[in-house]
Amino acid sequence: MTRFSAWAVLKNGLTGNRNWQRQWRDPEPKPHYDIVIIGGGLHGLATAYYLARNHGLRNIAVVEKSWLGGGNAGRNTTIVRSNYMMRGNRQFYEHSLKLWENLSHELNYNVMFSQRHHVSLLHSPAARDAAARRYNTMRLTGSDAELWDLPTLQRQIPHINYTNARFPIIGAAVQKRAGTARHDAVAWGYARAADSYGVDIVQNCAVTGMQRENGRITALETTRGIIRAGKVGLAVAGHSSLLWQQAGLDQLPIESHKLQAFVTEPLKPLLDQVLVYGVGGAHFYISQSDKGGLVFGGDIDWYKSYAQRGNLPAVWDTVESATAIMPCLGRARLLRHWAGVMDMSMDGSPFICTTPLDNLFLNAGWNYGGFKASPASGWYFADLIANERPDPVIQDFHLDRFHQGISIDERGAGPDPKLHG
Ligand SMILES: Cc1cc2nc3c(=O)[nH]c(=O)nc-3n(C[C@H](O)[C@H](O)[C@H](O)COP(=O)(O)OP(=O)(O)OC[C@H]3O[C@@H](n4cnc5c(N)ncnc54)[C@H](O)[C@@H]3O)c2cc1C
């Protein structure tokens, strides 16, 4: 595998860029693996990488029904942050952010992680108090956090509707180490690095059924034949319930909803931060890509579906939120929009856990915040699969937490998946 460096770029440039190697192999699936991860999104690929890198395991496959990054991995708005407060979430997302900070070096692949500040607007004294509590917790637990007053915010981001806003803006809660990254590059970087340890990445290989014996999965039925597996990890995001049923299990506390993303035509530099606005039913987040397009999104589409396309009321709603906060966006032309299928859990928090089957492990429930989580998710899921016990950081990320009354509901929104983001 080519090691990327300034020298490699120069050398290949001088030879007409004809000598770059494939970034990962395209192997035929073997009849048996010690571990099969289902789902070649960010979480599946990161898991395979950390299984090899942290635990020395090698006989591993990732099976993906289409192409790498064709799911939510390549459809998200790429916001990375760790501004969580609840025990477990806090440590987990901060660990993830720390992994992000070194990811390009770790993978020898430029994931274009840009720490450009995550700025959440505040619209009332009550919101400011809540933010102070959350952001102080972040500081006390080793992260970075700031509250900006109005003059500071106006200096940093002049284009917001300060004078005629539907909801008055009184300041912002800011995490400076947060930012964005290039989603495809993260998938490719993990794939390439996992492949270099001998992990087989098998694309166009859908799991269509699971064979069970004595409380274990023995083999996976796939569109490329039967694959026997010692252990199986599910990392299929919005399709988790379908695979859960294939395993002969009952119901997951997950609903599959779709979420849309939008990109405008390329514009001159307008916004240097990730800006978030959410109050009174409005929800909107926006950043500007390196190519100049404004990348933004809002709420989920509010009905369950496996379709990777959105509906017009959600477009309307998002665009209303956009122009309410940044009226100048009304002049920008929308270039593209699409949807992904989100695995929305009852408390907005994930599952990285064992299951009723001895050798089946679950990674799901990322709602629409799983991009930033992917490094830590892969890290802890690999640890769970390798050692068959959860690390203390993810001890509450299990399916029984609803029965046990464990609360990691960051928003305090209650058991309605639609309300969690
Ligand atoms: C519009 C949008 C905006 C978002 N914005 C953000 C954001 O700004 N920040 C953030 O942190 N998160 C964001 N997210 C959420 C984030 O993208 C997801 O939580 C995360 O990508 C999910 O994990 P994944 O990458 O592993 O999922 P996916 O990429 O969906 O991977 C799952 C894979 O499983 C495969 N699969 C399914 N069924 C089978 C089968 N039977 N056999 C084999 N393979 C199968 C699918 O093809 C898919 O490739 C957003 C999501 C969307 C859609």
Side-chain angles (χ1 to χ4, degrees), residues 30 36 104 114 120-121 128 185 221 275 285 346 366 375 401:
K30 292 194 280 200
V36 176
S104 293
S114 160
S120 300
L121 299 184
R128 187 179 50 207
E221 295 160 9
L275 180 68
Y285 36 92
M346 299 293 151
W366 294 103
R401 65 174 178 259

Side-chain angles (χ1 to χ4, degrees), residues 294-338:
L294 292 165
V295 181
F296 58 89
D299 273 324
I300 54 175
D301 275 36
W302 286 75
Y303 66 89
K304 287 166 263 178
S305 165
Y306 292 109
Q308 285 181 318
R309 60 176 184 277
N311 68 75
L312 281 172
V315 177
W316 183 285
D317 195 54
T318 306
V319 169
E320 258 181 6
S321 296
T323 47
I325 205 68
M326 286 178 79
C328 61
L329 294 181
R331 306 271 308 271
R333 273 171 297 199
L334 201 58
L335 208 60
R336 297 181 286 140
H337 74 116
W338 61 84

Side-chain angles (χ1 to χ4, degrees), residues 38-44 63-67 69-80 205-207 235-239 243 246 259-261 285 338-343 366-373:
I38 308 176
L42 299 166
H43 294 250
V63 295
E64 165 54 48
K65 74 173 177 181
S66 57
W67 68 92
N72 298 330
R75 291 166 183 269
N76 64 75
T77 45
T78 78
I79 300 171
V80 174
C205 181
V207 173
V236 291
H239 294 82
L243 273 288
Q246 282 183 17
L259 175 71
Q260 302 188 52
Y285 36 92
W338 61 84
V341 186
M342 319 309 320
D343 39 341
W366 294 103
N367 294 265
Y368 49 105
F371 177 67
K372 62 180 175 292

Side-chain angles (χ1 to χ4, degrees), residues 370-390:
F371 177 67
K372 62 180 175 292
S374 44
S377 166
W379 180 284
Y380 288 114
F381 196 39
D383 180 66
L384 175 75
I385 294 172
N387 298 313
E388 300 184 16
R389 53 97 194 96

